[in-house]
Amino acid sequence: MGESLEDRIRGFDHHDQAVVPTIHELLADLRNECPVARSEAYDGFYVVSKQDDIVTVAKDGETFSAAVQGLGAVAMVPDAETTRAPLFESDPPEHSGWRDVLQRFFTPPAVRAHEPFIRQVTDQVVDEVAPRGRCEVVGELAARIPSLVIAEVMGVPRDRQHELAALTRDLVAPTSVEDAHRAGAGLVEFLRNEIAERRTRPDQTGDVLSAVVHAEVDGRIATDAELLKHAFLMVSAGFLTTVDTISSLMLQLAEDHATRRQVTAARTLVPRLIEEIVRHESAVAATGRTVLAETTLGGVDLRPGDRLLLAWGSGTRDEQYVDDPADFRLDRQQRGRDLGWGSGVHRCLGMHLARLELGIVFDKILTAIPEFEVEPGTEPERTYGVLRGVRHLHLTWH
């Protein structure tokens, strides 16, 4: 006899990589039988798996707070559990103030200003990799482009961008927990120095980090601890999610020859390709919320202090809105919401940048390497947690 769904979810730990092989099947079962399900891991939390419930929570900042402890990735930032990061962990109306500070950097016109830099970096990386005939995608391709792009967007001087890029790449696929903490400590120190430098001069550069350092929201500027956590999350949000999306899509195209050849022949399909991978394997897999007031969700009574895990990668596969959700299809007609980019006031601020970057990357890859496959004898390794991606992916081509 197999375990009941109640038994399976009772010990559910989204950070445990043992859940990776069957995560989509488990979430499908939860959507159909128990859309708000309790896990006893991390002192207890509820997994929210249906699209309508996820959207309800995401759009109600008075009942559900974006500040939540104990459900995120392993904290590498000092005082992370007691510090709220501006924007990412703030709720309305404070959140609106921080969003206003940063919005101007991520409008379509502002994003297009970075296009020449993104194309230059992409050409350099892909042209270096293509003649080899093989590569480990995550470390040798996917991580190299976004690491430099986020450094540029953050306003890191060109002569220090490769230092930040190296530190962020070390976070992607560390060989041990010690290496991960070492990389995290290095990134924290780098960001701390960048923040301190901007504290000493007026905001004349017009970059993202300087704007946050000097912004006054609700009558005060952010503390160094808040800025450090914000900067760490900004780098993670702009870098790790893009790496995961590139890696997931490379794996999809390596295994789905028909789709790869279809898009290679018709590049106008690249935007659809990107939207479908964001739905199919949402890079932001699950984020937390804290209940602020008594309420009922999915028939479950919730009390202040209860914690929720919003399973975005489940909402994007909700059968109520998505036909054959496990299939990767370019001809989907939009129903429901495109939750791969989030919902509510915390909907992805960098969405336009990500779409531009991913479009440039895959147009270049399909030009330089139109045919590729998983290297024989290797097995791609997926990940799950707050983020969904690929840990290792060896490809080969002729």
Side-chain angles (χ1 to χ4, degrees), residues 317-357:
R317 291 182 173 223
D318 190 333
E319 295 82 357
Q320 182 179 346
Y321 296 105
V322 183
D323 298 326
D324 305 314
D327 294 346
F328 189 94
R329 289 176 19 199
L330 299 183
D331 62 350
R332 290 193 180 278
Q333 300 300 312
Q334 178 68 39
R335 293 194 294 129
R337 301 85 164 178
D338 53 344
L339 289 196
W341 301 107
S343 180
V345 297
H346 288 275
R347 186 169 164 83
C348 179
L349 182 67
M351 178 173 60
H352 301 303
L353 176 64
R355 283 172 167 158
L356 174 67
E357 186 175 351

mmCIF file of all heavy atoms in Angstrom, residues 317-357:
data_model
loop_
_atom_site.group_PDB
_atom_site.id
_atom_site.type_symbol
_atom_site.label_atom_id
_atom_site.label_comp_id
_atom_site.label_asym_id
_atom_site.label_seq_id
_atom_site.Cartn_x
_atom_site.Cartn_y
_atom_site.Cartn_z
ATOM 1 N N ARG A 317 0.090 25.346 -13.561
ATOM 2 C CA ARG A 317 -0.343 24.069 -14.147
ATOM 3 C C ARG A 317 -1.755 23.689 -13.695
ATOM 4 O O ARG A 317 -2.148 22.527 -13.817
ATOM 5 C CB ARG A 317 0.634 22.951 -13.759
ATOM 6 C CG ARG A 317 2.003 23.074 -14.415
ATOM 7 C CD ARG A 317 2.908 21.915 -14.038
ATOM 8 N NE ARG A 317 4.163 21.946 -14.788
ATOM 9 C CZ ARG A 317 4.745 20.883 -15.330
ATOM 10 N NH1 ARG A 317 4.188 19.687 -15.197
ATOM 11 N NH2 ARG A 317 5.894 20.994 -15.981
ATOM 12 N N ASP A 318 -2.494 24.652 -13.203
ATOM 13 C CA ASP A 318 -3.834 24.373 -12.679
ATOM 14 C C ASP A 318 -4.768 23.954 -13.820
ATOM 15 O O ASP A 318 -5.024 24.732 -14.750
ATOM 16 C CB ASP A 318 -4.376 25.631 -11.980
ATOM 17 C CG ASP A 318 -5.644 25.361 -11.196
ATOM 18 O OD1 ASP A 318 -6.386 24.421 -11.550
ATOM 19 O OD2 ASP A 318 -5.902 26.100 -10.231
ATOM 20 N N GLU A 319 -5.286 22.732 -13.727
ATOM 21 C CA GLU A 319 -6.141 22.184 -14.780
ATOM 22 C C GLU A 319 -7.403 22.995 -15.021
ATOM 23 O O GLU A 319 -8.009 22.904 -16.101
ATOM 24 C CB GLU A 319 -6.525 20.732 -14.429
ATOM 25 C CG GLU A 319 -5.359 19.770 -14.392
ATOM 26 C CD GLU A 319 -4.582 19.811 -13.075
ATOM 27 O OE1 GLU A 319 -4.913 20.647 -12.192
ATOM 28 O OE2 GLU A 319 -3.625 19.024 -12.935
ATOM 29 N N GLN A 320 -7.800 23.806 -14.049
ATOM 30 C CA GLN A 320 -8.977 24.660 -14.236
ATOM 31 C C GLN A 320 -8.747 25.672 -15.353
ATOM 32 O O GLN A 320 -9.684 26.107 -16.014
ATOM 33 C CB GLN A 320 -9.310 25.378 -12.927
ATOM 34 C CG GLN A 320 -10.553 26.257 -13.005
ATOM 35 C CD GLN A 320 -10.878 26.930 -11.683
ATOM 36 O OE1 GLN A 320 -10.345 26.551 -10.644
ATOM 37 N NE2 GLN A 320 -11.751 27.918 -11.719
ATOM 38 N N TYR A 321 -7.475 26.042 -15.556
ATOM 39 C CA TYR A 321 -7.142 27.064 -16.546
ATOM 40 C C TYR A 321 -6.205 26.578 -17.645
ATOM 41 O O TYR A 321 -6.030 27.260 -18.657
ATOM 42 C CB TYR A 321 -6.484 28.268 -15.855
ATOM 43 C CG TYR A 321 -7.406 28.979 -14.895
ATOM 44 C CD1 TYR A 321 -7.264 28.823 -13.525
ATOM 45 C CD2 TYR A 321 -8.433 29.801 -15.367
ATOM 46 C CE1 TYR A 321 -8.120 29.465 -12.633
ATOM 47 C CE2 TYR A 321 -9.284 30.444 -14.490
ATOM 48 C CZ TYR A 321 -9.125 30.281 -13.120
ATOM 49 O OH TYR A 321 -9.982 30.915 -12.251
ATOM 50 N N VAL A 322 -5.566 25.438 -17.437
ATOM 51 C CA VAL A 322 -4.544 24.967 -18.377
ATOM 52 C C VAL A 322 -4.884 23.563 -18.839
ATOM 53 O O VAL A 322 -4.951 22.634 -18.031
ATOM 54 C CB VAL A 322 -3.140 24.979 -17.722
ATOM 55 C CG1 VAL A 322 -2.082 24.564 -18.738
ATOM 56 C CG2 VAL A 322 -2.817 26.353 -17.141
ATOM 57 N N ASP A 323 -5.097 23.398 -20.139
ATOM 58 C CA ASP A 323 -5.344 22.064 -20.701
ATOM 59 C C ASP A 323 -4.019 21.315 -20.828
ATOM 60 O O ASP A 323 -3.010 21.886 -21.269
ATOM 61 C CB ASP A 323 -5.997 22.185 -22.081
ATOM 62 C CG ASP A 323 -7.352 22.867 -22.018
ATOM 63 O OD1 ASP A 323 -8.059 22.674 -21.003
ATOM 64 O OD2 ASP A 323 -7.697 23.602 -22.961
ATOM 65 N N ASP A 324 -4.008 20.056 -20.450
ATOM 66 C CA ASP A 324 -2.805 19.224 -20.554
ATOM 67 C C ASP A 324 -1.583 19.968 -20.028
ATOM 68 O O ASP A 324 -0.613 20.216 -20.753
ATOM 69 C CB ASP A 324 -2.564 18.806 -22.011
ATOM 70 C CG ASP A 324 -3.767 18.102 -22.621
ATOM 71 O OD1 ASP A 324 -4.332 17.217 -21.941
ATOM 72 O OD2 ASP A 324 -4.158 18.448 -23.753
ATOM 73 N N PRO A 325 -1.593 20.346 -18.744
ATOM 74 C CA PRO A 325 -0.553 21.229 -18.204
ATOM 75 C C PRO A 325 0.857 20.670 -18.252
ATOM 76 O O PRO A 325 1.827 21.448 -18.289
ATOM 77 C CB PRO A 325 -0.991 21.447 -16.750
ATOM 78 C CG PRO A 325 -1.898 20.307 -16.433
ATOM 79 C CD PRO A 325 -2.586 19.984 -17.716
ATOM 80 N N ALA A 326 1.018 19.355 -18.297
ATOM 81 C CA ALA A 326 2.360 18.773 -18.344
ATOM 82 C C ALA A 326 2.977 18.855 -19.736
ATOM 83 O O ALA A 326 4.186 18.660 -19.889
ATOM 84 C CB ALA A 326 2.329 17.319 -17.882
ATOM 85 N N ASP A 327 2.161 19.157 -20.746
ATOM 86 C CA ASP A 327 2.662 19.272 -22.113
ATOM 87 C C ASP A 327 3.286 20.646 -22.337
ATOM 88 O O ASP A 327 2.775 21.660 -21.851
ATOM 89 C CB ASP A 327 1.541 19.062 -23.126
ATOM 90 C CG ASP A 327 0.990 17.643 -23.108
ATOM 91 O OD1 ASP A 327 1.663 16.771 -22.509
ATOM 92 O OD2 ASP A 327 -0.098 17.417 -23.669
ATOM 93 N N PHE A 328 4.362 20.688 -23.115
ATOM 94 C CA PHE A 328 5.000 21.946 -23.509
ATOM 95 C C PHE A 328 4.484 22.313 -24.897
ATOM 96 O O PHE A 328 4.741 21.617 -25.873
ATOM 97 C CB PHE A 328 6.517 21.780 -23.524
ATOM 98 C CG PHE A 328 7.271 23.064 -23.713
ATOM 99 C CD1 PHE A 328 7.719 23.780 -22.609
ATOM 100 C CD2 PHE A 328 7.538 23.565 -24.978
ATOM 101 C CE1 PHE A 328 8.416 24.980 -22.770
ATOM 102 C CE2 PHE A 328 8.223 24.755 -25.150
ATOM 103 C CZ PHE A 328 8.668 25.461 -24.044
ATOM 104 N N ARG A 329 3.715 23.406 -24.990
ATOM 105 C CA ARG A 329 3.066 23.770 -26.246
ATOM 106 C C ARG A 329 3.211 25.255 -26.519
ATOM 107 O O ARG A 329 3.067 26.085 -25.613
ATOM 108 C CB ARG A 329 1.568 23.421 -26.194
ATOM 109 C CG ARG A 329 1.295 21.937 -26.238
ATOM 110 C CD ARG A 329 -0.159 21.575 -26.092
ATOM 111 N NE ARG A 329 -1.108 22.644 -26.352
ATOM 112 C CZ ARG A 329 -2.378 22.626 -25.924
ATOM 113 N NH1 ARG A 329 -2.808 21.602 -25.198
ATOM 114 N NH2 ARG A 329 -3.191 23.606 -26.202
ATOM 115 N N LEU A 330 3.478 25.575 -27.771
ATOM 116 C CA LEU A 330 3.626 26.979 -28.161
ATOM 117 C C LEU A 330 2.307 27.608 -28.599
ATOM 118 O O LEU A 330 2.243 28.815 -28.785
ATOM 119 C CB LEU A 330 4.637 27.102 -29.310
ATOM 120 C CG LEU A 330 6.056 26.626 -29.008
ATOM 121 C CD1 LEU A 330 6.954 26.870 -30.224
ATOM 122 C CD2 LEU A 330 6.624 27.337 -27.784
ATOM 123 N N ASP A 331 1.262 26.800 -28.749
ATOM 124 C CA ASP A 331 -0.006 27.309 -29.284
ATOM 125 C C ASP A 331 -1.052 27.539 -28.203
ATOM 126 O O ASP A 331 -2.246 27.568 -28.474
ATOM 127 C CB ASP A 331 -0.558 26.349 -30.335
ATOM 128 C CG ASP A 331 -0.862 24.962 -29.764
ATOM 129 O OD1 ASP A 331 -0.457 24.695 -28.606
ATOM 130 O OD2 ASP A 331 -1.505 24.154 -30.470
ATOM 131 N N ARG A 332 -0.617 27.710 -26.963
ATOM 132 C CA ARG A 332 -1.581 27.891 -25.871
ATOM 133 C C ARG A 332 -2.303 29.225 -25.987
ATOM 134 O O ARG A 332 -1.699 30.253 -26.296
ATOM 135 C CB ARG A 332 -0.878 27.821 -24.517
ATOM 136 C CG ARG A 332 -0.383 26.439 -24.178
ATOM 137 C CD ARG A 332 0.020 26.321 -22.722
ATOM 138 N NE ARG A 332 0.486 24.970 -22.444
ATOM 139 C CZ ARG A 332 -0.302 23.945 -22.200
ATOM 140 N NH1 ARG A 332 -1.619 24.130 -22.186
ATOM 141 N NH2 ARG A 332 0.188 22.743 -21.970
ATOM 142 N N GLN A 333 -3.592 29.189 -25.695
ATOM 143 C CA GLN A 333 -4.380 30.404 -25.575
ATOM 144 C C GLN A 333 -4.461 30.751 -24.094
ATOM 145 O O GLN A 333 -4.807 29.912 -23.264
ATOM 146 C CB GLN A 333 -5.778 30.208 -26.167
ATOM 147 C CG GLN A 333 -5.767 29.838 -27.646
ATOM 148 C CD GLN A 333 -5.116 30.884 -28.502
ATOM 149 O OE1 GLN A 333 -5.404 32.075 -28.387
ATOM 150 N NE2 GLN A 333 -4.209 30.455 -29.379
ATOM 151 N N GLN A 334 -4.149 31.979 -23.750
ATOM 152 C CA GLN A 334 -4.098 32.384 -22.343
ATOM 153 C C GLN A 334 -5.469 32.305 -21.683
ATOM 154 O O GLN A 334 -6.450 32.878 -22.158
ATOM 155 C CB GLN A 334 -3.573 33.827 -22.235
ATOM 156 C CG GLN A 334 -3.518 34.377 -20.829
ATOM 157 C CD GLN A 334 -2.469 33.679 -19.988
ATOM 158 O OE1 GLN A 334 -1.402 33.367 -20.466
ATOM 159 N NE2 GLN A 334 -2.779 33.444 -18.725
ATOM 160 N N ARG A 335 -5.535 31.526 -20.623
ATOM 161 C CA ARG A 335 -6.702 31.518 -19.745
ATOM 162 C C ARG A 335 -6.181 31.665 -18.332
ATOM 163 O O ARG A 335 -5.095 31.213 -18.011
ATOM 164 C CB ARG A 335 -7.481 30.192 -19.870
ATOM 165 C CG ARG A 335 -8.142 29.998 -21.226
ATOM 166 C CD ARG A 335 -9.156 28.856 -21.172
ATOM 167 N NE ARG A 335 -8.530 27.560 -20.935
ATOM 168 C CZ ARG A 335 -8.904 26.712 -19.995
ATOM 169 N NH1 ARG A 335 -9.872 27.041 -19.142
ATOM 170 N NH2 ARG A 335 -8.308 25.543 -19.860
ATOM 171 N N GLY A 336 -6.936 32.308 -17.491
ATOM 172 C CA GLY A 336 -6.428 32.535 -16.141
ATOM 173 C C GLY A 336 -5.310 33.559 -16.158
ATOM 174 O O GLY A 336 -5.286 34.468 -16.979
ATOM 175 N N ARG A 337 -4.335 33.403 -15.271
ATOM 176 C CA ARG A 337 -3.251 34.380 -15.125
ATOM 177 C C ARG A 337 -1.922 33.714 -15.447
ATOM 178 O O ARG A 337 -1.733 32.528 -15.227
ATOM 179 C CB ARG A 337 -3.186 34.939 -13.695
ATOM 180 C CG ARG A 337 -4.451 35.634 -13.227
ATOM 181 C CD ARG A 337 -5.426 34.658 -12.679
ATOM 182 N NE ARG A 337 -6.496 35.289 -11.888
ATOM 183 C CZ ARG A 337 -7.486 34.606 -11.350
ATOM 184 N NH1 ARG A 337 -7.566 33.294 -11.502
ATOM 185 N NH2 ARG A 337 -8.413 35.221 -10.645
ATOM 186 N N ASP A 338 -0.973 34.513 -15.938
ATOM 187 C CA ASP A 338 0.363 33.977 -16.210
ATOM 188 C C ASP A 338 1.186 34.057 -14.918
ATOM 189 O O ASP A 338 2.039 34.918 -14.744
ATOM 190 C CB ASP A 338 1.040 34.730 -17.361
ATOM 191 C CG ASP A 338 1.067 36.235 -17.167
ATOM 192 O OD1 ASP A 338 0.318 36.736 -16.311
ATOM 193 O OD2 ASP A 338 1.840 36.909 -17.861
ATOM 194 N N LEU A 339 0.925 33.138 -14.026
ATOM 195 C CA LEU A 339 1.511 33.197 -12.684
ATOM 196 C C LEU A 339 3.014 32.962 -12.660
ATOM 197 O O LEU A 339 3.636 33.133 -11.610
ATOM 198 C CB LEU A 339 0.831 32.175 -11.766
ATOM 199 C CG LEU A 339 -0.600 32.451 -11.328
ATOM 200 C CD1 LEU A 339 -0.963 31.567 -10.143
ATOM 201 C CD2 LEU A 339 -0.796 33.908 -10.968
ATOM 202 N N GLY A 340 3.599 32.562 -13.773
ATOM 203 C CA GLY A 340 5.046 32.417 -13.811
ATOM 204 C C GLY A 340 5.767 33.722 -13.524
ATOM 205 O O GLY A 340 6.926 33.723 -13.096
ATOM 206 N N TRP A 341 5.078 34.843 -13.716
ATOM 207 C CA TRP A 341 5.640 36.164 -13.408
ATOM 208 C C TRP A 341 5.094 36.716 -12.091
ATOM 209 O O TRP A 341 5.340 37.868 -11.750
ATOM 210 C CB TRP A 341 5.346 37.149 -14.541
ATOM 211 C CG TRP A 341 5.896 36.738 -15.872
ATOM 212 C CD1 TRP A 341 5.183 36.267 -16.938
ATOM 213 C CD2 TRP A 341 7.262 36.749 -16.292
ATOM 214 N NE1 TRP A 341 6.016 35.984 -17.983
ATOM 215 C CE2 TRP A 341 7.303 36.277 -17.624
ATOM 216 C CE3 TRP A 341 8.459 37.115 -15.668
ATOM 217 C CZ2 TRP A 341 8.495 36.160 -18.349
ATOM 218 C CZ3 TRP A 341 9.654 36.999 -16.384
ATOM 219 C CH2 TRP A 341 9.659 36.530 -17.705
ATOM 220 N N GLY A 342 4.330 35.902 -11.360
ATOM 221 C CA GLY A 342 3.793 36.343 -10.086
ATOM 222 C C GLY A 342 2.415 36.969 -10.232
ATOM 223 O O GLY A 342 1.788 36.930 -11.297
ATOM 224 N N SER A 343 1.938 37.570 -9.133
ATOM 225 C CA SER A 343 0.617 38.195 -9.121
ATOM 226 C C SER A 343 0.566 39.216 -8.003
ATOM 227 O O SER A 343 1.341 39.138 -7.046
ATOM 228 C CB SER A 343 -0.473 37.134 -8.909
ATOM 229 O OG SER A 343 -1.768 37.715 -8.905
ATOM 230 N N GLY A 344 -0.333 40.179 -8.136
ATOM 231 C CA GLY A 344 -0.470 41.196 -7.099
ATOM 232 C C GLY A 344 0.664 42.211 -7.131
ATOM 233 O O GLY A 344 1.383 42.335 -8.126
ATOM 234 N N VAL A 345 0.844 42.917 -6.026
ATOM 235 C CA VAL A 345 1.831 43.998 -6.001
ATOM 236 C C VAL A 345 3.259 43.475 -6.103
ATOM 237 O O VAL A 345 4.176 44.225 -6.462
ATOM 238 C CB VAL A 345 1.693 44.860 -4.721
ATOM 239 C CG1 VAL A 345 0.340 45.541 -4.669
ATOM 240 C CG2 VAL A 345 1.946 44.033 -3.466
ATOM 241 N N HIS A 346 3.471 42.197 -5.808
ATOM 242 C CA HIS A 346 4.809 41.623 -5.893
ATOM 243 C C HIS A 346 5.081 40.952 -7.238
ATOM 244 O O HIS A 346 6.082 40.249 -7.382
ATOM 245 C CB HIS A 346 5.024 40.618 -4.760
ATOM 246 C CG HIS A 346 5.178 41.268 -3.419
ATOM 247 N ND1 HIS A 346 6.381 41.754 -2.953
ATOM 248 C CD2 HIS A 346 4.273 41.532 -2.447
ATOM 249 C CE1 HIS A 346 6.211 42.272 -1.759
ATOM 250 N NE2 HIS A 346 4.934 42.148 -1.425
ATOM 251 N N ARG A 347 4.211 41.179 -8.217
ATOM 252 C CA ARG A 347 4.461 40.648 -9.561
ATOM 253 C C ARG A 347 5.839 41.101 -10.026
ATOM 254 O O ARG A 347 6.270 42.218 -9.746
ATOM 255 C CB ARG A 347 3.373 41.135 -10.514
ATOM 256 C CG ARG A 347 3.451 40.530 -11.917
ATOM 257 C CD ARG A 347 2.172 40.879 -12.667
ATOM 258 N NE ARG A 347 2.265 40.685 -14.108
ATOM 259 C CZ ARG A 347 2.085 39.519 -14.720
ATOM 260 N NH1 ARG A 347 1.813 38.439 -14.015
ATOM 261 N NH2 ARG A 347 2.156 39.423 -16.034
ATOM 262 N N CYS A 348 6.532 40.247 -10.761
ATOM 263 C CA CYS A 348 7.946 40.430 -11.092
ATOM 264 C C CYS A 348 8.256 41.818 -11.643
ATOM 265 O O CYS A 348 7.791 42.189 -12.730
ATOM 266 C CB CYS A 348 8.377 39.366 -12.096
ATOM 267 S SG CYS A 348 10.097 39.508 -12.598
ATOM 268 N N LEU A 349 9.045 42.582 -10.900
ATOM 269 C CA LEU A 349 9.444 43.925 -11.322
ATOM 270 C C LEU A 349 10.322 43.872 -12.564
ATOM 271 O O LEU A 349 10.256 44.741 -13.431
ATOM 272 C CB LEU A 349 10.183 44.618 -10.176
ATOM 273 C CG LEU A 349 10.647 46.051 -10.410
ATOM 274 C CD1 LEU A 349 9.449 46.986 -10.549
ATOM 275 C CD2 LEU A 349 11.549 46.507 -9.261
ATOM 276 N N GLY A 350 11.161 42.833 -12.665
ATOM 277 C CA GLY A 350 12.102 42.728 -13.772
ATOM 278 C C GLY A 350 11.601 41.918 -14.948
ATOM 279 O O GLY A 350 12.398 41.460 -15.776
ATOM 280 N N MET A 351 10.294 41.782 -15.084
ATOM 281 C CA MET A 351 9.703 40.960 -16.137
ATOM 282 C C MET A 351 10.146 41.393 -17.538
ATOM 283 O O MET A 351 10.506 40.567 -18.379
ATOM 284 C CB MET A 351 8.178 41.016 -16.013
ATOM 285 C CG MET A 351 7.399 40.252 -17.044
ATOM 286 S SD MET A 351 5.635 40.245 -16.633
ATOM 287 C CE MET A 351 5.278 42.019 -16.640
ATOM 288 N N HIS A 352 10.137 42.690 -17.804
ATOM 289 C CA HIS A 352 10.513 43.167 -19.146
ATOM 290 C C HIS A 352 11.989 42.917 -19.416
ATOM 291 O O HIS A 352 12.379 42.560 -20.537
ATOM 292 C CB HIS A 352 10.190 44.647 -19.285
ATOM 293 C CG HIS A 352 8.737 44.977 -19.086
ATOM 294 N ND1 HIS A 352 7.737 44.407 -19.833
ATOM 295 C CD2 HIS A 352 8.125 45.814 -18.200
ATOM 296 C CE1 HIS A 352 6.561 44.874 -19.436
ATOM 297 N NE2 HIS A 352 6.766 45.720 -18.439
ATOM 298 N N LEU A 353 12.818 43.086 -18.396
ATOM 299 C CA LEU A 353 14.240 42.800 -18.547
ATOM 300 C C LEU A 353 14.462 41.319 -18.816
ATOM 301 O O LEU A 353 15.249 40.943 -19.692
ATOM 302 C CB LEU A 353 15.008 43.235 -17.291
ATOM 303 C CG LEU A 353 16.504 42.913 -17.277
ATOM 304 C CD1 LEU A 353 17.224 43.666 -18.383
ATOM 305 C CD2 LEU A 353 17.112 43.251 -15.910
ATOM 306 N N ALA A 354 13.779 40.461 -18.066
ATOM 307 C CA ALA A 354 13.938 39.020 -18.247
ATOM 308 C C ALA A 354 13.501 38.595 -19.645
ATOM 309 O O ALA A 354 14.187 37.794 -20.308
ATOM 310 C CB ALA A 354 13.120 38.271 -17.189
ATOM 311 N N ARG A 355 12.386 39.120 -20.118
ATOM 312 C CA ARG A 355 11.909 38.755 -21.448
ATOM 313 C C ARG A 355 12.905 39.181 -22.522
ATOM 314 O O ARG A 355 13.186 38.431 -23.461
ATOM 315 C CB ARG A 355 10.539 39.401 -21.709
ATOM 316 C CG ARG A 355 9.385 38.686 -21.012
ATOM 317 C CD ARG A 355 8.107 39.473 -21.136
ATOM 318 N NE ARG A 355 6.940 38.667 -20.757
ATOM 319 C CZ ARG A 355 5.776 39.182 -20.370
ATOM 320 N NH1 ARG A 355 5.632 40.510 -20.288
ATOM 321 N NH2 ARG A 355 4.772 38.393 -20.047
ATOM 322 N N LEU A 356 13.446 40.401 -22.387
ATOM 323 C CA LEU A 356 14.433 40.881 -23.353
ATOM 324 C C LEU A 356 15.679 40.002 -23.325
ATOM 325 O O LEU A 356 16.175 39.555 -24.375
ATOM 326 C CB LEU A 356 14.802 42.333 -23.042
ATOM 327 C CG LEU A 356 15.932 42.924 -23.893
ATOM 328 C CD1 LEU A 356 15.485 43.065 -25.345
ATOM 329 C CD2 LEU A 356 16.386 44.272 -23.335
ATOM 330 N N GLU A 357 16.195 39.752 -22.137
ATOM 331 C CA GLU A 357 17.420 38.970 -21.987
ATOM 332 C C GLU A 357 17.244 37.549 -22.527
ATOM 333 O O GLU A 357 18.088 37.053 -23.283
ATOM 334 C CB GLU A 357 17.825 38.944 -20.511
ATOM 335 C CG GLU A 357 19.158 38.286 -20.234
ATOM 336 C CD GLU A 357 19.557 38.400 -18.770
ATOM 337 O OE1 GLU A 357 18.887 39.128 -17.993
ATOM 338 O OE2 GLU A 357 20.562 37.762 -18.403
#
